[in-house]
Amino acid sequence: MTSEPLQTDTRERDAIDALSDSTSEASLRRSVERSEQIWDDLAEHPDRYRMLTGDRPTGHLHLGHYFGSLRNRVALQDQGVDTWVLIADYQVITDRDTVDSIQERVFSLLTDYLAVGIDPARTTIFAHSQVPSLNQLVLPFLSLVTDSELRRNPTVKAEQEATGGRPMTGLMLTYPVHQAADILFCKANVVPVGKDQLPHLEQTRVVARRFDERYGRAGEGTTPVFPAPDALLSEVPNLLGTDGQKMSKSRGNVIELRMSADETARAIKKAVTDADRHITYDPTGRPEVSNLVLLASLTTGRDPEAIAEEIGDGGSGTLKRVVTEAVNEHLAPVRARRAELEADPAELRRVLAEGNAHANEVAEATLDEVREAMQMVYA
Ligand code: TRP
């Protein structure tokens, strides 16, 4: 960024960075502990939890999403947790100028959700733009945060840097507050996140606490309007793209859920390997080969070492054949379901409309509580 107002005083900035590093260390530890407690309690009392998570509809979901989060959401839903999944369409325009193909992307995301087993009978699936009362919460919430707090948010900083120095939009700067509204409007108490998203959750907790301090319902012993949510962290396999680099659609190294078996075979055929014929599982020494072994392991549920040993001197040709079969077999039911859904756009629209209606009901009730707490009731 070119216009750093505090450029002269680097010592002060270093001090602030060091301070926030050590606080984030401590808060990371706290989040990890808390998350472990929740996992334990969740198994016994799933009914005590409302979980919210979401995605930006920017492209088609791939195996990274699948093993990184989708599978986990379905498991929580199946355990009996009240599950909410947000299609964050307003978040798409934090760093892009265009809403091209937004409809197609929203419905593709929805199709992926349903295909992997997110069940609209148990999970509320909805889109930002369809829930005005959720968005209205952003106004009072913005009064609870300062611009420097937002500028310091590590995720905002990282995302801003990733846009190659283009000017930051107001929506980008404030999206952690919007995200707080996403979580708080339905009073979700758990949010499955990666460690990189923890600052957002911390921002949400701050908003919830400050709302109560400033505008909270008067009187002793009242419950806060917004419960502070906790992060639900989980072990996520470190799955790389087919070139051994970080998985990303723009690198063309992903296997999308919607690809055909042939497209998958082609993508795996192109995968990078190394010159050693003997296949082993050694993620640090042989990241590309090991990533393929990991993919076979995730899709078959078998041990990666055992898979590598079985292939042994079969070389990368055998490895790729094994991986292709494993991935295609695992995804076959997902893809079959996906094809069925795609053939019935009216059903997709119905599912989303139903989720939106439920989200609106809950958002309106929460906004009423907010108006009440803020004494903005004039009827
Ligand atoms: N920021 C998330 C992403 O980029 C999407 C998201 C929007 C979200 N609102 C949320 C995630 C609320 C969890 C909770 O993937």
Side-chain angles (χ1 to χ4, degrees):
M1 252 179 291
T2 46
S3 56
E4 259 286 350
L6 272 175
Q7 212 128 43
T8 45
D9 206 347
T10 44
R11 257 183 322 161
E12 184 179 308
R13 264 198 303 160
D14 288 347
I16 293 170
D17 283 348
L19 186 68
S20 57
D21 274 353
S22 65
T23 17
S24 59
E25 249 322 282
S27 85
L28 175 60
R29 227 171 317 123
R30 212 175 338 105
S31 304
V32 171
E33 267 169 36
R34 188 72 195 115
S35 166
E36 279 164 9
Q37 286 168 1
I38 293 172
W39 276 114
D40 288 344
D41 190 55
L42 223 155
E44 275 179 59
H45 306 286
D47 52 303
R48 289 185 188 163
Y49 294 91
R50 176 170 281 183
M51 181 265 261
L52 180 129
T53 179
D55 301 285
R56 299 172 194 221
T58 52
H60 305 287
L61 295 183
H62 52 63
L63 286 177
H65 298 117
Y66 181 73
F67 289 110
S69 64
L70 294 171
R71 213 173 40 151
N72 194 21
R73 291 179 199 172
V74 175
L76 286 163
Q77 164 198 277
D78 291 349
Q79 252 182 287
V81 172
D82 181 12
T83 304
W84 292 60
V85 178
L86 162 66
I87 299 176
D89 52 357
Y90 274 140
Q91 237 181 57
V92 172
I93 47 172
T94 51
D95 63 354
R96 334 185 157 205
D97 304 325
T98 152
V99 284
D100 281 356
S101 331
I102 189 87
Q103 281 176 15
E104 187 200 323
R105 285 177 177 164
V106 165
F107 283 108
S108 167
L109 188 56
L110 176 65
T111 311
D112 283 333
Y113 287 162
L114 304 181
V116 299
I118 294 180
D119 171 11
R122 291 175 288 166
T123 292
T124 305
I125 308 171
F126 67 103
H128 260 158
S129 62
Q130 307 304 303
V131 188
S133 301
L134 179 164
N135 294 300
Q136 190 169 328
L137 291 176
V138 177
L139 287 175
F141 287 0
L142 280 172
S143 75
L144 302 169
V145 298
T146 65
D147 75 316
S148 66
E149 221 166 24
L150 292 170
R151 283 177 214 283
R152 275 202 309 268
N153 182 305
T155 318
V156 171
K157 275 209 258 181
E159 293 192 10
Q160 174 59 19
E161 274 154 26
T163 66
R166 57 179 281 171
M168 171 144 59
T169 66
L171 194 62
M172 167 78 94
L173 181 64
T174 53
Y175 97 83
V177 181
H178 197 187
Q179 199 153 306
D182 297 341
I183 297 166
L184 296 178
F185 95 91
C186 67
K187 307 191 182 187
N189 54 0
V190 281
V191 184
V193 289
K195 286 191 178 133
D196 62 315
Q197 295 266 317
L198 280 173
H200 285 330
L201 206 65
E202 196 45 42
Q203 185 72 70
T204 302
R205 297 168 59 82
V206 164
V207 166
R209 182 162 31 81
R210 287 189 192 153
F211 185 90
D212 210 52
E213 284 162 6
R214 281 199 214 163
Y215 311 126
R217 305 188 245 244
E220 295 272 310
T222 52
T223 46
V225 176
F226 296 110
D230 284 299
L232 199 54
L233 298 159
S234 48
E235 282 300 324
V236 171
N238 185 23
L239 194 59
L240 303 169
T242 49
D243 55 357
Q245 305 288 310
K246 190 174 144 63
M247 201 185 282
S248 121
K249 194 182 165 69
S250 55
R251 287 203 178 93
N253 64 4
V254 301
I255 296 166
E256 293 173 350
L257 298 180
R258 63 167 193 148
M259 281 180 173
S260 68
D262 282 349
E263 286 169 321
T264 303
R266 256 176 275 142
I268 295 172
K269 199 163 195 168
K270 278 194 315 197
V272 177
T273 51
D274 57 36
D276 188 349
R277 257 199 90 70
H278 187 76
I279 300 304
T280 52
Y281 183 63
D282 170 13
T284 7
R286 303 180 72 186
E288 298 94 351
V289 163
S290 302
N291 189 55
L292 288 172
V293 176
L294 176 64
L295 201 46
S297 158
L298 288 168
T299 44
T300 56
R302 296 184 57 216
D303 197 47
E305 275 89 7
I307 294 172
E309 206 179 305
E310 232 168 69
I311 299 169
D313 287 327
S316 58
T318 311
L319 173 62
K320 288 180 179 182
R321 187 175 47 73
V322 167
V323 176
T324 303
E325 274 169 23
V327 170
N328 280 339
E329 193 177 312
H330 189 78
L331 288 184
V334 173
R335 287 166 168 168
R337 174 100 180 96
R338 213 184 180 290
E340 260 171 48
L341 290 157
E342 257 179 346
D344 193 355
E347 170 65 5
L348 290 170
R349 279 197 297 273
R350 192 195 60 76
V351 165
L352 190 54
E354 206 174 271
N356 289 335
H358 186 211
N360 269 296
E361 224 175 89
V362 170
E364 279 158 27
T366 302
L367 185 59
D368 274 344
E369 276 184 78
V370 163
R371 291 194 186 106
E372 188 99 30
M374 298 179 78
Q375 304 172 56
M376 292 173 168
V377 181
Y378 310 116

